[in-house]
Amino acid sequence: MLKELKIFDTVIEPGTSYKLNFNMAKLYTSTSIEVPVIINRSKKAGPVVLITGGIHGDEINGIEVVRQMISKNLNKPAIGTIIAIPVLNVFGFLNGQREFPDGRDLNRVFPGTKSGALASRFAYHITKEILPIVDLVMDFHTGGAQRFNAPHLRVSQLEAQSWDLAKVFNAPFLMHGSNIKKTFRATCSGLDKKYLLFEGGMSGHSDKKVVSTAVNGAMRVLDHLKMLDPSVPVPVEEKESVIITSSKWIRAKYSGLLHPKVECGKRVEKDEFIAVITDPYGELRYKVKAPHAGYVINVNYSPLVYQGDAIFHISKDGE
């Protein structure tokens, strides 16, 4: 007999689909804001996978990844259950901004509190109502502001099961990263849930290649778990992920106009010319060179930078 699954007081019966509206708060106009939670459960027992996007409201790529998985019926499992939340932060999505209306970053208030600020209350209900029944979370993000991330997974090597699944996902880059306190990822880790954090592209933009990379990786994981319909062809990636265990942010030495000269994801050598910083008056022209060899995993595409701003994130070989 299959075990009972219950979310927001709704029992999820085997072989059924549900669209639950998580309604926790209203706008100033008393208009209800609903966060759709789309659930598909097979008649056969199996893992429970949570797929999320939009924890930051301006991260469109992550939202598009989850949307495509739903539109392609990839969220209808052969075994087990798939819970899809395309837009966790609907408030931020409506306003085109990263944060909740209370100014808080949803990804810095987990596991939340029942009587705290709005973002904290939302995190609390996700933690208490959904995470207890989940086995694996695949959470899709993009770079913040105008910083473009090369498609990669960020996972701790200390979490062996998550690391193994990250290799199955097989994004172009697999980056070791420790958990940050009060993040969704750290909360999942504390609850012993397997967790894959995908990063790709930048906020406010939809990148077809980045989205395709993420969807294909998620399909490989679902196939590995025997959850993908056998009739669905599984995308094959010939190259294994480049594993990154150490990296360094390169910061602007001068304020001015930034002109990147290398593409995100490219490998550079020590002292390679990677950008120019100029002033508006034709007097300053400073060449930025790579301080070490490695892969460019983030590029700041803001046309204007201040001294000290992060402009490149480059992996460090052999560290």
Side-chain angles (χ1 to χ4, degrees), residues 13-180:
E13 300 290 348
T16 58
S17 299
Y18 292 82
K19 183 179 179 181
L20 305 181
N21 287 313
F22 175 27
N23 183 344
M24 201 199 72
K26 295 182 179 182
L27 299 178
Y28 299 128
T29 57
S30 296
T31 304
S32 295
I33 292 294
E34 296 178 341
V35 179
V37 179
I38 300 162
I39 306 161
N40 288 276
R41 188 180 188 190
S42 170
K43 291 181 179 180
K44 298 180 180 179
V48 178
V49 175
L50 173 62
I51 303 172
T52 58
I55 198 168
H56 297 123
D58 60 353
E59 295 186 350
I60 309 301
N61 280 333
I63 295 167
E64 176 62 11
V65 170
V66 184
R67 185 203 70 80
Q68 285 197 17
M69 294 187 72
I70 294 168
S71 70
K72 294 177 181 180
N73 292 322
L74 302 176
N75 65 322
K76 295 182 178 179
I79 64 171
T81 303
I82 294 179
I83 305 168
I85 310 179
V87 191
L88 270 172
N89 182 1
V90 169
F91 295 96
F93 183 60
L94 290 172
N95 294 324
Q97 63 185 33
R98 182 179 180 87
E99 298 84 5
F100 251 59
D102 59 10
R104 288 170 172 82
D105 183 339
L106 177 59
N107 204 30
R108 291 295 185 273
V109 297
F110 276 88
T113 55
K114 190 174 183 179
S115 58
L118 181 59
S120 183
R121 293 182 186 214
F122 186 88
Y124 174 85
H125 286 288
I126 294 295
T127 303
K128 295 298 181 181
E129 297 285 346
I130 296 180
L131 287 186
I133 66 169
V134 168
D135 299 300
L136 165 67
V137 178
M138 288 193 282
D139 188 24
F140 297 93
H141 290 247
T142 75
Q146 290 182 284
R147 292 187 293 273
F148 189 102
N149 272 321
H152 69 272
L153 285 183
R154 198 172 297 168
V155 181
S156 171
Q157 286 181 302
L158 300 177
E159 297 168 358
Q161 290 183 309
S162 295
W163 188 261
D164 289 343
L165 284 176
K167 291 182 177 179
V168 173
F169 190 104
N170 202 17
F173 299 98
L174 172 52
M175 183 185 299
H176 165 71
S178 302
N179 284 318
I180 299 173

Side-chain angles (χ1 to χ4, degrees), residues 114-304:
K114 190 174 183 179
S115 58
L118 181 59
S120 183
R121 293 182 186 214
F122 186 88
Y124 174 85
H125 286 288
I126 294 295
T127 303
K128 295 298 181 181
E129 297 285 346
I130 296 180
L131 287 186
I133 66 169
V134 168
D135 299 300
L136 165 67
V137 178
M138 288 193 282
D139 188 24
F140 297 93
H141 290 247
T142 75
Q146 290 182 284
R147 292 187 293 273
F148 189 102
N149 272 321
H152 69 272
L153 285 183
R154 198 172 297 168
V155 181
S156 171
Q157 286 181 302
L158 300 177
E159 297 168 358
Q161 290 183 309
S162 295
W163 188 261
D164 289 343
L165 284 176
K167 291 182 177 179
V168 173
F169 190 104
N170 202 17
F173 299 98
L174 172 52
M175 183 185 299
H176 165 71
S178 302
N179 284 318
I180 299 173
K181 290 182 179 180
K182 295 190 175 183
T183 60
F184 188 32
R185 175 183 167 198
T187 294
C188 290
S189 176
L191 294 172
D192 201 27
K193 308 296 182 181
K194 295 182 285 292
Y195 182 94
L196 300 179
L197 169 60
F198 177 87
E199 288 274 2
M202 66 182 181
S203 298
H205 292 76
S206 182
D207 187 292
K208 185 179 292 186
K209 186 175 180 181
V210 167
V211 170
S212 177
T213 298
V215 171
N216 290 346
M219 290 175 67
R220 287 190 284 269
V221 170
L222 293 178
D223 179 67
H224 175 76
L225 297 174
K226 311 298 183 188
M227 298 178 76
L228 197 65
D229 189 303
S231 66
V232 177
V234 181
V236 177
E237 178 56 60
E238 299 296 334
K239 296 181 180 179
E240 292 186 359
S241 302
V242 174
I243 295 177
I244 297 172
T245 57
S246 180
S247 58
K248 182 178 180 181
W249 281 100
I250 312 306
R251 298 187 177 276
K253 287 191 175 181
Y254 299 95
S255 300
L257 286 73
L258 176 67
H259 311 272
K261 300 298 181 181
V262 294
E263 293 183 3
C264 198
K266 181 183 182 294
R267 180 176 173 80
V268 296
E269 300 303 323
K270 187 178 186 303
D271 293 327
E272 183 173 337
F273 174 37
I274 58 176
V276 171
I277 297 175
T278 64
D279 66 8
Y281 311 109
E283 297 178 357
L284 172 69
R285 182 177 174 81
Y286 174 76
K287 285 188 175 182
V288 181
K289 295 182 179 181
H292 56 266
Y295 290 92
V296 178
I297 49 181
N298 183 286
V299 176
N300 187 341
Y301 284 119
S302 173
L304 304 173

